[in-house]
Amino acid sequence: MDRLTGQVALITGAGSGMGRAVSQMFVQEGAAVVLVDNQAEPLAETVGRIEEAGGQVESAVCDVSDENSVNRAVAAGIRRFGKLTVIYNNAGIMPEQDHSVLDTDPEVWDWVQDVNLKGVYLVCKYGIPALLEAGGGSVINVASFVALVGCTVPQDSYTASKGGVIALTRSMAAQFGSRGVRVNAICPGPIETPLLMDWLLTDPDAKSLRLSRIPLGRFGKPEDIGYLAIYLASPESAWMTGAALNIDGGITSYYF
Ligand SMILES: NC(=O)c1ccc[n+]([C@@H]2O[C@H](COP(=O)([O-])OP(=O)(O)OC[C@H]3O[C@@H](n4cnc5c(N)ncnc54)[C@H](O)[C@@H]3O)[C@@H](O)[C@H]2O)c1
């Protein structure tokens, strides 16, 4: 219960799904958390749960694609806790208007890139100096299994944004390793969160097709990702940087 004692973690997209679960799990392991989301109400719900459990939490309504907003959120966290040692870049979107390169509007393409990739850049731009100041830390970027395998049901901007997140992870790992900042990516498979289930609920065929490709026979739960996140945030992973770790029920290992 104390694997993250002394850590201060900034978590984006903390109002829902994996971001909410990871926030709660980090607090259970002793971390203080700075929670960020662009939706005030769901963010307040996560904050309330953590306060009820006696956790230390600061929060900021923040759009990760907006530079001033990110700058303010990082500053609020540092003001409250005096430092930052972990960045969990989790905020992401998967709008249904994002489809094939043939039929995706440029505005939709840019919207997805702005949140999923530029958002990671901006949070790192303002957050990594704080990790350096603290003498080191861990950046964890949430990519996706779709960056690793092709799919005939395309979400091309989403897929490209997650590929960008993996490439950026490696570049930052190389740059900051000698100064004690580790940077790794998590590539989740299909996880039971609103982002995925809102879509699959309306399309039973899409749901059973995906389930049939997962050797472990079920969708992931946010907690499955949370356990890996705790490891990457803690000193237990001190010798790991630049990795892109699949945690996907086996979906990317399955031929047929
Ligand atoms: N669910 C899956 O199957 C799956 C699989 C692989 C990767 N992922 C990735 O995991 C991450 C979390 O996904 P989830 O399934 O928990 O999604 P979710 O929709 O449940 O939660 C995402 C959160 O991000 C917030 N958010 C969206 N845009 C934002 C912005 N501009 N600024 C700040 N916050 C913003 C939302 O309000 C929401 O609270 C995303 O990056 C997603 O792409 C999800």
Side-chain angles (χ1 to χ4, degrees):
M1 298 295 277
D2 59 358
R3 291 163 73 197
L4 298 180
T5 299
Q7 308 287 349
V8 180
L10 183 137
I11 299 169
T12 70
S16 176
M18 285 183 265
R20 173 174 286 165
V22 165
S23 301
Q24 292 177 286
M25 291 172 79
F26 275 19
V27 168
Q28 278 163 13
E29 291 295 340
V33 289
V34 182
L35 305 186
V36 164
D37 205 287
N38 66 345
Q39 302 296 318
E41 265 184 44
L43 177 63
E45 167 71 27
T46 308
V47 170
R49 290 185 194 194
I50 287 174
E51 284 173 342
E52 238 168 69
Q56 293 188 78
V57 55
E58 179 63 54
S59 66
V61 177
C62 158
D63 175 354
V64 293
S65 67
D66 179 87
E67 182 166 11
N68 290 330
S69 181
V70 170
N71 189 4
R72 279 197 300 272
V74 171
I78 295 170
R79 221 171 19 249
R80 169 76 186 271
F81 295 118
K83 66 174 182 179
L84 213 57
T85 61
V86 176
I87 297 172
Y88 192 73
N89 277 311
N90 163 84
I93 55 169
M94 195 178 75
E96 59 181 65
Q97 307 95 298
D98 172 25
H99 198 241
S100 163
V101 289
L102 299 180
D103 55 20
T104 298
D105 290 337
E107 296 73 28
V108 173
W109 178 276
D110 288 348
W111 176 34
V112 173
Q113 297 296 320
D114 279 354
V115 176
N116 292 6
L117 182 54
K118 185 179 169 194
V120 174
Y121 143 63
L122 286 174
V123 174
C124 288
K125 177 177 163 75
Y126 288 96
I128 287 180
L131 269 55
L132 292 169
E133 179 87 22
S138 173
V139 178
I140 304 156
N141 297 325
V142 180
S144 171
F145 76 108
V146 301
L148 307 171
V149 287
C151 181
T152 51
V153 186
Q155 308 155 293
D156 280 336
S157 185
Y158 181 86
T159 300
S161 74
K162 295 302 188 179
V165 167
I166 294 173
L168 181 59
T169 297
R170 293 191 177 121
S171 178
M172 294 193 295
Q175 288 173 67
F176 300 114
S178 63
R179 290 190 273 166
V181 173
R182 302 180 294 106
V183 190
N184 293 288
I186 297 178
C187 301
I191 309 292
E192 281 176 1
T193 68
L195 179 124
L196 184 68
M197 290 301 140
D198 287 353
W199 170 49
L200 292 187
L201 272 180
T202 62
D203 191 341
D205 290 343
K207 185 172 179 182
S208 59
L209 180 62
R210 271 156 193 76
L211 268 180
S212 73
R213 302 293 161 99
I214 301 175
L216 291 181
R218 64 167 174 86
F219 291 119
K221 297 183 186 315
E223 293 72 23
D224 292 320
I225 302 303
Y227 292 118
L228 177 57
I230 290 169
Y231 169 70
L232 289 175
S234 80
E236 294 161 19
S237 57
W239 204 53
M240 178 173 281
T241 197
L245 299 163
N246 300 353
I247 174 161
D248 62 5
I251 197 169
T252 54
S253 308
Y254 186 27
Y255 181 29
F256 67 87

